[in-house]
Amino acid sequence: MAQAHYDFAVIGAGMAGASIAAELAPHASVLVLEAEDAPGYHSTGRSAAFWEECYGGPGVVPLTLASGNYLREHGFLSPRGALYVGKQEDRQKLDEFFETFAGTGVTIERLGRERLASCVPQMGEEWCDAIWEPACADIDVAGLHQHYLKAMKRAGATLACRARVAMLNRSPDRWELLTESGELYSAARVVNAAGAWADPIANLAGARPLGIHPKRRTVVQLRVSPEVRSDQPLVLDINGEFYFKPDSGRLWLSPHDEIPSDPCDASPEEIDVALVVDRFQKATGWNVEAVERRWAGLRSFAPDRLPVYGPDPEIPGFLWFAGQGGFGIQTAPAAARLGAQIILGRTADAMTQAIDPDTYSPARFHRAKAAADV
């Protein structure tokens, strides 16, 4: 016997699931099913997130910019600034990066060695060219996630943890969702916000997987000398070999890796930790006194590296809200608002009016396959 029937069952209670549920719940009955003991255990809880206008590429910029005011007004951003740095041989790559984002609405500026060194004195002399992004800010990830969890609950959504979905069955007017613990739920529509597990959930629903693949990202916390200044910017190698930023007197460092992985409880590999510490020591004048913490999370990308929002074109009542890569935190407000508008058939508002929803539709992959089959 199924439990209470809901308008929507959202699978996943990380940032994606919590935010879309918060936007849907004022207009419909919503159930959120979370596989773990508590929401945000995987990617959301392991993010070293920053709001960075260029991150994710030009196709993500509209979502990032549209989210900025919401994040600032609710107190989730702290000013940081970002520097993309390169050597003499990287000048063309920096030029191309600058040209790519010209006209997208982001604010960037070219810097030479003198200004680069004034921002980050410990960068080696060979790092002589940079792009400055002044609007970059740290994100209070935990605060933002709790904001959406509280909002969805206030609007009447039901959260069930330790509720890993084991079976999805579609009847003419509803879905039945069976969890591994034997709980049975019923909903008119299912929202796939399962992150690294998005394609496996699609398989359970009989939908065509879209090729959303998890990739592992490693982060370490270093104690360095001299101590890192709290006002130093986020620093990103233009070649994608590292990034680092200050955090509470320590330094968070990542090899900017994207290592293919199965959906899992990700953990760092020692080779990745050693590799990035070596890169960091060669690039800067800091002395690494200790690697105090290390962790890894999964970032899940669709084949074109853009997120996927909207109804599956083949399976009625199955909706996608997935493939948000490493930019799912910084785009959460606009993504959730847009996703709810698509799902509910509502018109755009001030936050989403400059965003083209077709850009993120799952139908784009079906159209591409159909064209390839011709």
Side-chain angles (χ1 to χ4, degrees):
M1 182 87 178
Q3 296 187 11
H5 180 71
Y6 296 87
D7 295 318
F8 294 98
V10 176
I11 301 177
M15 189 67 77
S19 60
I20 192 67
E23 290 286 348
L24 290 172
H27 312 286
S29 59
V30 176
L31 168 70
V32 181
L33 297 175
E34 168 57 44
E36 305 297 344
D37 291 345
Y41 176 75
H42 292 287
S43 297
T44 298
R46 307 178 195 197
S47 173
F50 33 82
W51 186 83
E52 199 267 278
E53 291 178 314
C54 299
Y55 189 69
V60 177
V61 167
L63 294 165
T64 301
L65 296 182
S67 297
N69 284 340
Y70 187 97
L71 293 169
R72 279 187 288 269
E73 290 167 2
H74 287 81
F76 296 121
L77 296 186
S78 301
R80 170 65 59 199
L83 272 177
Y84 283 86
V85 298
K87 303 175 185 177
Q88 178 69 34
E89 60 266 30
D90 300 320
R91 185 148 293 166
Q92 181 176 348
K93 190 169 289 187
L94 285 159
D95 288 343
E96 291 171 352
F97 182 97
F98 196 91
E99 291 169 5
T100 294
F101 289 96
T104 63
V106 307
T107 302
I108 51 178
E109 176 187 357
R110 288 299 294 268
L111 302 185
R113 169 63 195 177
E114 184 176 349
R115 289 187 62 190
L116 188 165
S118 70
C119 293
V120 190
Q122 285 79 16
M123 290 303 300
E125 291 185 3
E126 68 274 20
W127 300 90
C128 59
D129 206 350
I131 292 173
W132 171 241
E133 186 195 310
C136 179
D138 294 339
I139 302 178
D140 178 2
V141 179
L144 180 62
H145 190 214
Q146 285 299 315
H147 167 79
Y148 280 121
L149 289 170
K150 291 176 181 177
M152 75 181 202
K153 290 178 182 178
R154 281 197 307 268
T158 299
L159 171 65
C161 293
R162 296 180 293 278
R164 186 179 298 277
V165 176
M167 187 177 297
L168 282 166
N169 289 320
R170 172 76 178 168
S171 65
D173 63 342
R174 69 180 59 202
W175 290 89
E176 288 189 341
L177 303 92
L178 180 67
T179 70
E180 289 184 353
S181 60
E183 295 294 326
L184 187 62
Y185 299 94
S186 171
R189 291 189 278 179
V190 170
V191 180
N192 182 4
W197 285 263
D199 269 4
I201 290 295
N203 275 323
L204 289 179
R208 187 188 308 178
L210 299 182
I212 296 177
H213 294 301
K215 298 179 185 293
R216 189 176 73 240
R217 170 65 51 88
T218 302
V219 184
V220 298
Q221 178 175 294
L222 304 179
R223 185 175 76 246
V224 298
S225 61
E227 184 173 315
V228 62
R229 293 199 326 249
S230 62
D231 64 346
Q232 285 192 339
L234 166 71
V235 175
L236 307 101
D237 171 24
I238 193 63
N239 293 299
E241 294 200 341
F242 63 79
Y243 67 76
F244 60 83
K245 70 166 191 167
D247 186 86
S248 303
R250 298 297 190 257
L251 190 144
W252 284 11
L253 169 69
S254 172
H256 218 159
D257 48 344
E258 291 184 359
I259 299 172
S261 170
D262 292 330
C264 66
D265 184 356
S267 58
E269 298 285 343
E270 286 302 320
I271 185 63
D272 298 323
V273 173
L275 180 67
V276 73
V277 171
D278 180 64
R279 289 174 182 171
F280 175 75
Q281 290 181 309
K282 289 177 178 177
T284 75
W286 273 295
N287 177 51
V288 176
E289 297 183 339
V291 178
E292 296 184 327
R293 293 175 55 208
R294 62 199 76 195
W295 65 96
L298 298 180
R299 296 159 176 248
S300 300
F301 295 90
D304 60 4
R305 299 182 69 88
L306 294 178
V308 186
Y309 309 140
D312 188 275
E314 297 176 345
I315 305 297
F318 187 75
L319 307 148
W320 293 82
F321 194 71
Q324 300 193 73
F327 44 81
I329 308 294
Q330 71 176 39
T331 61
R337 184 71 55 81
L338 177 68
Q341 289 166 351
I342 294 169
I343 290 168
L344 296 169
R346 300 173 70 88
T347 58
D349 62 5
M351 183 187 289
T352 61
Q353 62 185 358
I355 304 172
D356 179 4
D358 286 344
T359 302
Y360 313 111
S361 169
R364 69 190 191 267
F365 299 108
H366 294 257
R367 290 193 297 264
K369 186 177 186 307
D373 291 342
V374 171

